[in-house]
Amino acid sequence: MDKNINIKVRVWRQRSAKDKGRFVTYDLANISQGSSFLEMLDILNNQLIHEGEEPIVFDHDCREGICGMCSLYIDGHPHGPDNLITTCQLHMRKFNDGDTITIEPWRSAGFPVIRDLMVDRTSFDKIQQAGGFVSVNTGSAIDGNAIPISHDTAELAIDAASCIGCGACVAACKNGSAMLFVSAKVSQFALLPQGRTEAARRVKRMVAKMDELGFGNCTNTRACEVECPKGVSISNIARMNREFIKAKNKD
């Protein structure tokens, strides 16, 4: 049964990318364990505004685990200590009375801090824009569905497409690698006949943009797979590497 708890939160405060950040500790009383983590931050911000302080800046949008905006590093884990959920799906019943919770922004050169807990993730948009799409005419939805695809292939493509681009994989990786995100986007098209026509050009452009933006390489620690809120498999990275080698061999 949910109860109200008293907690401390250590929050990273940083006015801009150029300023030096620091942790600030706040006390929160009577927080319902039925509250979501983001609702707890809303309560804290109301408290700060009431006390005449600047509220904490953090990203959020759908609050349904779909958009991937709620990019928080909580107690050493992207999206917090629970598995296969985003921060907006995390509830305060995961914490106990008297706990101190540490909240940080994503840590990666590819995601510079904008302010407090908000980071700039437009690098993912740039990688997607480099080739993560189908531009050939594949007909209407009915035409697309008329192409036979095995059940296993369809499942693999859907699993890859479940990536929401939140950036937890980058935040979890000691190298700041974006290969799980890029490989998921490459795979969701490369597995389907509608995406094969542009497969070689797509993988070369997306990998080149990823490298240009300063993301690191994969060293198979699997931290990205463990922390991914959607359970995207690193088998997609192996598929992307095969696609990339095939594309380069055609040059």
Side-chain angles (χ1 to χ4, degrees):
M1 184 175 178
D2 293 337
K3 59 181 182 181
N4 289 354
I5 58 175
N6 299 324
I7 57 172
K8 292 180 184 291
V9 288
R10 292 178 68 239
V11 183
W12 185 259
R13 303 300 309 260
Q14 186 172 340
R15 293 188 63 82
S16 72
K18 294 181 179 178
D19 289 326
K20 186 176 181 181
R22 63 191 177 94
F23 281 106
V24 179
T25 301
Y26 302 100
D27 291 307
L28 277 165
N30 294 318
I31 297 296
S32 168
Q33 288 183 310
S35 304
S36 74
F37 198 85
L38 296 187
E39 287 170 340
M40 179 273 291
L41 287 177
D42 291 337
I43 293 169
L44 173 57
N45 271 345
N46 284 334
Q47 180 175 306
L48 293 176
I49 292 169
H50 182 72
E51 294 170 353
E53 295 187 37
E54 287 284 329
I56 298 160
V57 175
F58 63 97
D59 255 334
H60 61 92
D61 193 1
C62 75
R63 299 199 178 201
E64 295 179 343
I66 299 170
C67 73
M69 291 290 288
C70 50
S71 50
L72 297 181
Y73 210 84
I74 304 164
D75 285 347
H77 297 278
H79 297 297
D82 219 341
N83 295 325
L84 299 176
I85 62 169
T86 56
T87 297
C88 63
Q89 297 171 301
L90 178 66
H91 280 73
M92 295 308 296
R93 64 179 64 96
K94 197 69 181 177
F95 303 94
N96 299 308
D97 188 48
D99 278 357
T100 298
I101 305 168
T102 300
I103 312 170
E104 302 171 73
W106 281 172
R107 302 290 192 187
S108 170
F111 295 149
V113 172
I114 296 173
R115 183 164 181 164
D116 294 337
L117 302 173
M118 177 184 283
V119 301
D120 181 356
R121 290 180 299 165
T122 54
S123 51
F124 269 17
D125 295 331
K126 292 173 183 173
I127 294 171
Q128 189 79 7
Q129 290 161 2
F133 49 82
V134 174
S135 61
V136 297
N137 185 359
T138 59
S140 66
I142 296 175
D143 298 325
N145 290 332
I147 302 172
I149 303 168
S150 73
H151 175 77
D152 289 346
T153 299
E155 288 292 330
L156 288 172
I158 290 172
D159 287 346
S162 68
C163 170
I164 55 177
C166 65
C169 50
V170 175
C173 179
K174 65 177 183 179
N175 304 322
S177 172
M179 291 188 79
L180 190 66
F181 164 74
V182 179
S183 68
K185 298 307 173 187
V186 165
S187 292
Q188 73 180 69
F189 295 118
L191 285 162
L192 300 177
Q194 293 91 339
R196 287 308 308 171
T197 303
E198 298 166 294
R201 183 173 61 180
R202 176 184 304 112
V203 70
K204 287 191 293 184
R205 288 184 174 184
M206 293 184 77
V207 169
K209 181 59 71 174
M210 174 182 67
D211 292 341
E212 175 191 323
L213 294 171
F215 291 101
N217 289 317
C218 172
T219 50
N220 292 311
T221 66
R222 305 187 75 166
C224 56
E225 184 181 67
V226 170
E227 301 289 1
C228 175
K230 298 300 177 182
V232 175
S233 169
I234 63 167
S235 63
N236 289 297
I237 296 177
R239 182 178 299 104
M240 181 184 74
N241 288 336
R242 291 195 297 272
E243 290 287 329
F244 184 74
I245 291 170
K246 281 195 296 185
K248 296 297 286 185
N249 285 340
K250 289 180 180 177
D251 290 344

